[in-house]
Amino acid sequence: MRPDGPGTTGELLPLVYDELRRLARAQLSREPAGHTLQPTALVHEAYLRLWKSGEDKQWDRRGHFFAAAAIAMRRILVERARHYQRIKHGGQEKRVAFDIEQVDRPGAGEGTWTDVLVINDALDRLEKMDARKAQVVMLRYFAGLSVEETASALGLSPTTVKTEWAFARAWFYRTLRGDGPEAGEAP
Amino acid sequence: MTSDLADRAAALFFELASVPVEARAAWLDERCGGEVALRREVDRLLDALDAPDAFLDPLAVHPTAASGDTPLLPGTRVGDFTVLRVIGSGSAGIVYVAEQRYPMRAVALKVLRHGLDATSVRRRFELEADLLARLDHPGVATIYAAHPGDASTPAFIAMELVDGPPITESADARTLSAAERVELAARVCDAVQHAHQRGIIHRDLKPANILVDPHGQPKILDFGVARAVDADAPFASSQTGHGQLVGTVPYMSPEQVSGRPDLVDTRTDIYALGALLFKLLTGTLPFADGNPSLPELARRIADDEPPRLSDRVPALAGDLDTIVGCALAKDREHRYPSAADLAMDLRRYLAGEPIAATAASMRQVLARRLVRYRRALVASGLVAVALAGVAAWAVSERQRADQANADLARELSASTLEQSRFLAAAGNFLTAERLAWQELFRRPDSRHALWTLWEIYARQPLRWTVVADPRGSGSVRFSPDGRHLLTASNDGGLRLHESATGAIVREPGRHEGGAWDAVFSRDGRLVASVGADDMLRVWDVEHARPLAAIPGEGRQLFRVVWHPNGTRIATSGLAGRVDIWRTDGAREATIVERASGARALAFDERGRWLAAGFDDGTLAVWEVDSHRVRWQVHQAEAVTTVAFEPGGSRLVSGSFSQTVHLWDAATGTPLVSIEPNNGTIRRISFDPSGRYLAIAGWWRTMVWDLDDNEPVRSERHFGAGAWDAAIAPSLAYLATSDERTGSLRLWDLRPSPHLVEWAAHTGRIAGLQATGDGALLVTGGFDGRLHAWRRDETGTYTAADLGISGARILDVAMPPGGEWAAAGGESGLWVVDLARRTAPSLVGESLNVTAVAASPDGRRLFAGTLDGRLLAWDMAGGRATPAWSLASDAEVLSLDVSGDRLAIAHRLRGVAIRSTMDGRVILPSTGTYTAFGLAVRPDGREIAVGLWEGNVLQVDAATGATARTLSGHGRVVGSVRYTADSATLVTASRDGATRLWDVATGAPLATRASRTAGAESLALLPGDRVAIGHDDGAMVAAEMDYFLRHVAGNAAFQAAALGPSAADFPRAGEVLAWARRTTEGR
């Protein structure tokens, strides 16, 4: 099968495994050090879900497949994060809001589960307002796809993806900072 | 702003995305109409288009963007290698045949696709390469070199080039019989066992990774390589490279396909060996009948019972069926405990002997069988007799099973601890600590676990951890005298901890709903605090008595600082106000009122200026008396912390932007900015000298040296996620508080408080001896000097040159009583009477002495020479009189005496034991090795030997047989010593490391490697101290048990961290009791 042609989950597995692991790594690099979930485990878990949803499902583009994998990963991470919060935390709201800066530094290996939930909630809100931008954010942030890959997955032009991404990102930035206009008012 | 406004602004903003850039302004004007608030919010969103690039951005690493995708051209130089051609590629990179210049040979060169950027990844890579370099087995492809990559060279691993097909193809091509295939598999097991014993798990054993060379030797490739590149990868790429996954999944164990990497251990490789046997013997894979899809295959591996060999090839019924079935057991507990056990059963099968796997499965049918026996035998009336017989058999079976379980538990524990040490070395302390602590809680008597923790804390000098408030603590400050720590916690408590132990001594007060900040007055008698109750409170520390409670009246008080004169307090609040108060509660002045939260606040040392930082990025300094703004700057990001340099002229600030700025405190002129790369700066504090900054950042806490403008001890780890950090007035400690877990931690800040170092000689210290009480040391060096080091009452050693000069000194001797010292070298044998302090005398002028030793009673001196002679002198009255001498044809390398036994090592002759009385042989030379280091165990029953290539042998003193080989050192082990209790062996190697080993089990206990120079000689001193002489002439005295107090200081915290699983560790209490004794004993 051609890399960009259609295929079933079973056929796609060996072809995209490395890339899925890369997605998983992108995801997990945002989590706290010492977490128990590892890229391989995340891929396996994501796979299990995709596969339960129908092994013979045809994916008409590899990008669609990635999008589905990204959704699966997002769900797993959100579930983990909720679980983690349930067992770990009491009243930490005050400082959690202040800790949103962690999302500024992907790649350094120590995000927090809180991020996953904060971003997830914001993404839910964005979905209601502008589904396409939400899709772009999900593929970029939760799946770690590049602009080109995202464009191919959504069937958009890279320029459109870039614009959508920039606007969505700006909205996230503004929203996640958590301070309304009063707090940001110049003296 | 109403959320409605925000939503409308967002909707407009999103729509704007599809409006052409040039038309946007007009479009906005029209759509916003006259709504100023709406327009302003949209403008803010537009501003946010310039958010930092890194914000939300996916990882920079993309396979499409990475280097290393394009194959290198033939002739390209990579380090010491020249690329010849590509032989394969995989997820990690491309594999080439390359040529090495020195030594000239062809190698397989794996050039990694991604650069190893993160320091921790690089370190892991280097460590893993180190670990792999320890693998030395004909069945394992040797790693020649590894490079983590730098600006000029990509990351690569160079390994033995194996010329041959995968094991399955090789067996088919050579049309091997079933028995020959079994023998081939057994040899693979031998190699796997070799690696397992060194804590290395392959995780990806499959035919493509096991090639057979032209001599028929199977060689395993890529041992641990996957992990060196990616800690959790089960899929290493191989030299054959293609269709990796298809080739990999059938050999994956149930725990791997189920995504349980936490269950992966040595028995995962046993499973793969079972699958390999299956393939070798039947030509088919266990679960692959009917050509299933990969997910289906994975499901079968995880869920289905494995087929039997005889299902596929009926002729294989019997023992082989049992052996392979045992290796492929779904539950790893039911598999062979080690590759050696599997190999043994395979060879028993080949020899026609009964196999062990049958006995194991017998156990499971025992109950069934007993019932059957009973039924059958009741009828025949022989119940009593038969049951007794069966019961006896059952007991012996049980004992065998228990023994097997104990062996397995020990192997697993050793493997876990090795993994923990590795993780610690790679910088993953959380996991390393957890693994090692669990092992210690499981087996409180495990020296291996205890010393693994020693090693972890030697890297991460964490003296103690306490959790006072699991909801998290915020600020932490040292008292002015350094004896106490004050924390403000989310549960509202203010707590005073004893710096030495972390114990809570007092709770001076509280704030309902949470305490945000608490500070000592300059004399340490008062504390001012603010909290969620929006109150400023002042307390008398000693009597825990409230002195003042001042309502914040909506200020949302967040930070508090004392004016140096102790009569004023300044506060800042999230509502934007900065005020100065008098301690009696009266407000003196409101300095400023802004619309933006003030999170940062500081007085300068003289109390003239007050600095505050705001969420809108404003940083301002006021004159305290006039309330006038002295200077003010605006930064893009919220200012989170400010501090004035004590006794200096600078102000430091930290912000959301992760950058630390230094300003001229008087003028606001920016001086320096530091990017410590430790995440958003939470809080910065100066040490009292003004030279160091403790920077609590999101990713890590660090100490910055302003004089050198670099982090202090960047190799050390001071934890992550700290809300606040403070340096002790003594500069000896760093305290951090973690607002998530509530842990308060104290770290050693001094370089190596357990070490003292002297530049003792100008050349290698080849000989080092200590008296029994450690009060006197003698050292002899390649500089031809002999020094005596006497300890004074303060514990300080002072050197005296004993006044000999000549050629290189190769060894020194001194009896435990310190009566005299002897030094041997190329210019002969010198003796110095240390009691009378007379001038040295040359007793063996013509001798080329290579080794010397003293009898424990000080009455005999022994020397060995280059020409093979062994000589003994009687020592009396400071004079040496010849006693006896022997000749041989082999150079003497080393000598050691225990009681009346003299151990002697000749080149290539192993070791011998002679009587100290007359030189009579007690144990003739056995072995063909050359012992560079030599020690007789105090009880005389064992000899330890250090070899050239770095191995250490434990030799049975009765038979001369090698009981155990200790691998770990990378270069010659020139000195070995037993502790007085015979429990620990200490070894020093030219690789720079000093290692401790458990004599009883051979387990590596700890490694100390702080110097780059080789460790050449060592002496044990009382109080678990060791003196080490180095190649560069430096002598180091190290307190070996120093870090055990760190272990003790963290025990309670780690026990609490077990949480609900504590029930699985019934013996944890023993560890806690030990920790209490250790802590209290200090």
Side-chain angles (χ1 to χ4, degrees):
Chain A
M1 136 189 172
R2 288 182 302 110
D4 293 303
T8 64
T9 310
E11 287 168 334
L12 278 161
L13 172 66
L15 286 166
V16 299
Y17 200 94
D18 280 347
E19 284 169 80
L20 274 167
R21 275 178 45 72
R22 192 243 315 160
L23 298 192
R25 255 204 307 271
Q27 252 332 298
L28 292 168
S29 65
R30 300 189 175 92
E31 282 171 22
H35 62 75
T36 50
L37 199 60
Q38 293 179 301
T40 312
L42 180 54
V43 170
H44 280 288
E45 226 176 302
Y47 249 105
L48 225 53
R49 289 184 194 212
L50 279 182
W51 164 39
K52 273 184 193 152
S53 71
E55 190 201 333
D56 297 327
K57 187 175 164 88
Q58 287 279 330
W59 305 98
D60 54 0
R61 262 197 315 270
R62 201 158 72 131
H64 279 179
F65 177 81
F66 274 126
I71 292 170
M73 285 191 198
R74 174 182 171 188
R75 283 201 193 118
I76 295 162
L77 287 168
V78 167
E79 281 163 23
R80 288 270 179 153
R82 291 210 171 110
H83 174 72
Y84 181 81
Q85 289 228 316
R86 265 200 305 280
I87 57 175
K88 279 275 178 188
H89 287 282
Q92 290 273 318
E93 264 35 75
K94 188 171 185 78
R95 279 167 188 162
V96 164
F98 188 57
D99 284 344
I100 195 62
E101 71 269 16
Q102 299 137 21
V103 302
D104 290 7
R105 282 206 54 78
E110 299 188 39
T112 75
W113 290 112
T114 315
D115 293 348
V116 174
L117 294 182
V118 169
I119 304 255
N120 185 58
D121 290 348
L123 192 52
D124 280 346
R125 283 170 59 197
L126 182 60
E127 264 159 7
K128 293 197 191 88
M129 292 192 283
D130 192 322
R132 193 163 81 175
K133 289 187 178 65
Q135 280 259 300
V136 169
V137 170
M138 196 176 69
L139 288 172
R140 298 273 286 134
Y141 180 79
F142 273 97
L145 296 187
S146 69
V147 168
E148 290 71 24
E149 287 165 331
T150 308
S152 139
L154 297 178
L156 299 171
S157 78
T159 319
T160 308
V161 169
K162 256 182 221 162
T163 313
E164 295 287 86
W165 170 242
F167 276 73
R169 211 172 70 102
W171 177 80
F172 263 87
Y173 195 71
R174 182 87 188 115
T175 305
L176 298 188
R177 287 285 156 178
D179 49 350
E182 308 88 55
E185 213 72 67
Chain B
M1 181 179 67
T2 60
S3 70
D4 174 52
L5 178 66
D7 287 350
R8 283 173 55 214
L12 271 183
F13 176 68
F14 288 150
E15 220 179 310
L16 191 64
S18 38
V19 176
V21 178
E22 60 282 1
R24 281 178 186 168
W27 186 87
L28 266 184
D29 287 346
E30 187 203 317
R31 295 292 297 268
C32 291
E35 270 192 81
V36 181
L38 181 65
R39 178 59 187 265
R40 195 161 57 196
E41 184 52 24
V42 176
D43 282 344
R44 288 219 173 79
L45 283 164
L46 281 167
D47 287 346
L49 282 171
D50 298 325
D53 282 347
F55 180 74
L56 274 194
D57 206 32
L59 279 191
V61 180
H62 273 284
T64 45
S67 64
D69 262 2
T70 326
L72 300 172
L73 294 171
T76 309
R77 292 291 300 270
V78 176
D80 193 24
F81 304 89
T82 308
V83 168
L84 298 180
R85 63 175 194 278
V86 177
I87 50 171
S89 72
S91 60
I94 298 179
V95 188
Y96 304 88
V97 176
E99 190 178 66
Q100 189 176 13
R101 285 278 278 297
Y102 306 108
M104 179 74 149
R105 60 186 167 192
V107 305
L109 187 72
K110 176 171 291 190
V111 177
L112 304 182
R113 177 161 291 162
H114 301 301
L116 306 168
D117 296 327
T119 318
S120 65
V121 178
R122 288 173 62 95
R123 220 179 314 148
R124 187 178 70 209
F125 177 86
E126 287 164 352
L127 276 149
E128 190 78 14
D130 260 11
L131 210 63
L132 295 176
R134 275 159 54 183
L135 290 181
D136 177 17
H137 192 278
V140 178
T142 312
I143 303 280
Y144 295 138
H147 190 282
D150 56 31
S152 59
T153 313
F156 68 79
I157 299 170
M159 65 191 104
E160 185 180 350
L161 179 66
V162 182
D163 178 20
I167 187 166
T168 41
E169 289 174 28
S170 164
D172 292 344
R174 293 191 288 155
T175 59
L176 297 186
S177 68
E180 286 167 323
R181 285 166 192 248
V182 169
E183 174 52 32
L184 192 62
R187 291 170 70 186
V188 174
C189 293
D190 295 341
V192 171
Q193 173 71 11
H194 174 84
H196 284 179
Q197 283 178 326
R198 282 152 187 78
I200 304 171
I201 303 168
H202 195 296
R203 295 150 205 258
D204 189 23
L205 284 172
K206 57 185 176 186
N209 274 338
I210 309 169
L211 306 186
V212 180
D213 75 9
H215 310 289
Q217 170 68 50
K219 288 203 182 263
I220 305 176
L221 308 181
D222 281 356
F223 237 118
V225 168
R227 216 173 54 150
V229 179
D230 178 353
D232 70 354
F235 306 115
S237 57
S238 68
Q239 287 182 16
T240 49
H242 299 292
Q244 283 170 52
L245 202 65
V246 179
T248 294
V249 172
Y251 296 90
M252 283 171 75
S253 63
E255 58 269 21
Q256 281 174 307
V257 298
S258 316
R260 294 296 306 272
D262 52 319
L263 294 183
V264 168
D265 62 23
T266 51
R267 292 169 295 180
T268 300
D269 284 348
I270 303 293
Y271 181 92
L273 288 169
L276 175 69
L277 271 161
F278 202 101
K279 174 78 177 165
L280 274 173
L281 292 169
T282 69
T284 63
L285 286 160
F287 293 102
D289 44 318
N291 197 18
S293 68
L294 284 173
E296 169 60 13
L297 180 58
R299 191 200 57 75
R300 287 187 194 172
I301 291 173
D303 300 339
D304 293 357
E305 272 308 307
R308 301 174 68 82
L309 287 182
S310 50
D311 296 345
R312 305 275 170 84
V313 180
L316 293 174
D319 280 353
L320 268 185
D321 224 354
T322 313
I323 292 173
V324 174
C326 181
L328 287 176
K330 196 120 283 160
D331 181 349
R332 54 192 188 141
E333 302 289 338
H334 296 151
R335 291 180 210 148
Y336 283 99
S338 74
D341 288 301
L342 173 55
M344 208 180 295
D345 252 6
L346 289 173
R347 294 200 168 105
R348 283 194 192 113
Y349 162 80
L350 290 174
E353 294 167 9
I355 60 170
T358 317
S361 29
M362 284 282 245
R363 235 170 40 237
Q364 291 156 15
V365 297
L366 178 63
R368 259 197 327 252
R369 207 179 281 182
L370 265 175
V371 172
R372 230 184 313 141
Y373 271 123
R374 219 174 270 159
R375 276 197 206 117
L377 295 176
V378 166
S380 61
L382 292 169
V383 181
V385 179
L387 270 186
V390 171
W393 177 71
V395 166
S396 82
E397 272 306 303
R398 163 68 65 80
Q399 282 167 350
R400 281 175 66 166
D402 287 350
Q403 184 56 42
N405 281 339
D407 290 348
L408 173 61
R410 202 165 40 243
E411 286 222 8
L412 283 180
S413 166
S415 173
T416 304
L417 289 169
E418 283 305 298
Q419 193 190 353
S420 159
R421 293 165 64 152
F422 172 74
L423 288 171
N428 185 352
F429 290 104
L430 284 177
T431 312
E433 262 184 299
R434 198 190 62 228
L435 288 174
W437 274 107
Q438 288 188 358
E439 285 304 318
L440 186 64
F441 287 139
R442 196 168 282 131
R443 317 160 129 227
D445 43 5
S446 165
R447 303 181 75 222
H448 195 177
L450 185 66
W451 284 94
T452 299
L453 285 164
W454 180 96
E455 202 170 301
I456 290 172
Y457 292 117
R459 291 179 193 279
Q460 173 197 256
L462 175 55
R463 289 181 74 92
W464 51 254
T465 305
V466 294
V467 177
D469 168 19
R471 293 174 54 195
S473 57
S475 73
V476 57
R477 299 287 106 180
F478 274 99
S479 63
D481 62 7
R483 289 174 50 215
H484 295 108
L485 280 163
L486 176 68
T487 57
S489 292
N490 285 352
D491 69 352
L494 303 176
R495 296 187 176 86
L496 201 63
H497 297 258
E498 190 180 64
S499 300
T501 62
I504 297 171
V505 274
R506 212 164 297 134
E507 305 202 14
R510 51 182 298 110
H511 286 267
E512 279 321 310
W516 303 148
D517 199 10
V519 284
F520 280 106
S521 61
R522 190 182 261 191
D523 60 9
R525 287 166 52 194
L526 303 180
V527 161
S529 60
V530 293
D533 55 2
D534 201 21
M535 297 288 279
L536 164 63
R537 298 177 185 273
V538 183
W539 316 84
D540 175 325
V541 180
E542 197 182 341
H543 306 98
R545 201 175 57 210
L547 297 179
I550 304 158
E553 294 169 340
R555 286 178 173 80
Q556 299 181 51
L557 295 173
F558 192 72
R559 283 280 159 90
V560 57
V561 288
W562 279 95
H563 189 272
N565 72 10
T567 60
R568 290 156 147 179
I569 296 165
T571 59
S572 69
L574 297 181
R577 279 175 71 165
V578 176
D579 300 274
I580 295 182
W581 313 80
R582 289 207 304 269
T583 44
D584 61 11
R587 186 169 83 244
E588 187 176 301
T590 294
I591 297 292
V592 72
E593 194 170 349
R594 294 173 78 89
S596 168
R599 289 180 195 271
L601 190 64
F603 273 114
D604 84 315
E605 197 181 35
R606 287 194 267 170
R608 295 168 302 167
W609 301 329
L610 179 68
F614 297 83
D615 286 350
D616 65 3
T618 304
L619 170 63
V621 171
W622 289 268
E623 289 174 358
V624 172
D625 291 333
S626 68
H627 310 159
R628 272 213 317 267
V629 175
R630 190 168 174 88
W631 56 270
Q632 148 165 304
V633 292
H634 298 281
Q635 295 185 278
E637 305 274 351
V639 178
T640 53
T641 177
V642 290
F644 283 95
E645 179 182 12
S649 58
R650 294 182 290 188
L651 174 78
V652 64
S653 73
S655 76
F656 255 8
S657 72
Q658 310 175 11
T659 309
V660 176
H661 292 283
L662 278 164
W663 314 86
D664 182 315
T667 63
T669 310
L671 301 173
V672 188
S673 61
I674 302 167
E675 297 203 12
N677 188 27
N678 62 353
T680 292
I681 312 296
R682 257 75 181 293
R683 200 135 181 209
I684 303 175
S685 57
F686 269 102
D687 84 276
S689 78
R691 175 170 175 180
Y692 302 102
L693 290 175
I695 306 175
W698 182 247
W699 308 115
R700 58 181 166 160
T701 296
M702 60 162 49
V703 176
W704 193 274
D705 183 335
L706 283 172
D707 286 3
D708 294 345
N709 202 29
E710 63 180 24
V712 174
R713 263 170 273 306
S714 54
E715 79 285 3
R716 283 204 177 172
H717 194 270
F718 298 119
W723 177 259
D724 197 0
I727 299 172
S730 63
L731 300 188
Y733 306 112
L734 176 76
T736 59
S737 76
D738 182 345
E739 56 109 7
R740 270 154 205 268
T741 60
S743 59
L744 177 65
R745 311 187 124 183
L746 191 78
W747 313 77
D748 267 330
L749 205 50
R750 285 171 298 183
S752 301
H754 64 304
L755 291 180
V756 195
E757 185 176 325
W758 302 272
H761 289 265
T762 54
R764 172 183 302 173
I765 301 177
L768 172 60
Q769 289 290 344
T771 54
D773 60 4
L776 179 62
L777 302 174
V778 291
T779 55
F782 273 18
D783 57 2
R785 299 281 167 182
L786 180 66
H787 294 311
W789 303 78
R790 287 185 196 274
R791 189 178 60 196
D792 64 20
E793 56 284 354
T794 68
T796 315
Y797 286 91
T798 318
D801 191 322
L802 293 178
I804 69 168
S805 64
R808 306 194 295 183
I809 291 174
L810 297 182
D811 200 5
V812 299
M814 178 171 65
E819 298 89 349
W820 48 267
E826 289 162 3
S827 54
L829 179 66
W830 297 80
V831 174
V832 184
D833 187 324
L834 293 169
R836 296 180 180 77
R837 307 198 185 198
T838 52
S841 59
L842 188 59
V843 300
E845 197 168 356
S846 58
L847 300 173
N848 194 339
V849 178
T850 49
V852 287
S855 66
D857 58 9
R859 291 163 72 172
R860 278 235 156 111
L861 163 66
F862 307 93
T865 67
L866 188 66
D867 58 7
R869 277 187 286 169
L870 175 62
L871 307 99
W873 285 268
D874 278 325
M875 301 296 290
R879 271 214 294 278
T881 321
W884 50 263
S885 73
L886 297 162
S888 78
D889 58 357
E891 174 188 352
V892 176
L893 260 298
S894 43
L895 295 171
D896 191 45
V897 183
S898 170
D900 57 358
R901 285 155 180 249
L902 171 68
I904 174 168
H906 293 276
R907 183 176 294 279
L908 294 174
R909 299 269 171 87
V911 287
I913 298 177
R914 292 176 177 274
S915 159
T916 54
M917 296 300 295
D918 49 13
R920 179 177 47 86
V921 171
I922 296 172
L923 175 75
S925 274
T926 46
T928 54
Y929 50 84
T930 303
F932 288 85
L934 183 65
V936 184
R937 198 162 87 185
D939 63 9
R941 294 170 64 177
E942 188 182 89
I943 302 169
V945 166
L947 302 180
W948 176 258
E949 74 279 7
N951 280 348
V952 175
L953 306 180
Q954 285 179 272
V955 175
D956 185 325
T959 64
T962 299
R964 197 180 284 121
T965 303
L966 311 177
S967 305
H969 283 300
R971 298 185 64 187
V972 59
V973 178
S975 193
V976 293
R977 293 277 191 269
Y978 285 97
T979 53
D981 60 4
S982 295
T984 311
L985 184 64
V986 187
T987 58
S989 161
R990 199 163 294 166
D991 65 8
T994 309
R995 289 177 178 262
L996 303 189
W997 311 82
D998 186 40
V999 170
T1001 64
L1005 296 178
T1007 302
R1008 204 194 68 79
S1010 66
R1011 292 183 53 84
T1012 48
E1016 298 288 341
S1017 48
L1018 60 87
L1020 304 186
L1021 311 177
D1024 279 320
R1025 284 173 168 76
V1026 59
I1028 307 153
H1030 289 87
D1031 199 18
D1032 60 358
M1035 180 166 73
V1036 168
E1039 199 181 324
M1040 292 308 277
D1041 68 349
Y1042 179 76
F1043 292 106
L1044 291 182
R1045 73 189 69 162
H1046 295 63
V1047 179
N1050 285 284
F1053 169 68
Q1054 291 289 343
L1058 290 174
S1061 64
D1064 300 337
F1065 301 89
R1067 296 183 65 193
E1070 296 172 43
V1071 179
L1072 295 177
W1074 165 82
R1076 269 193 301 275
R1077 284 196 306 276
T1078 305
T1079 314
E1080 282 160 14
R1082 302 279 169 195

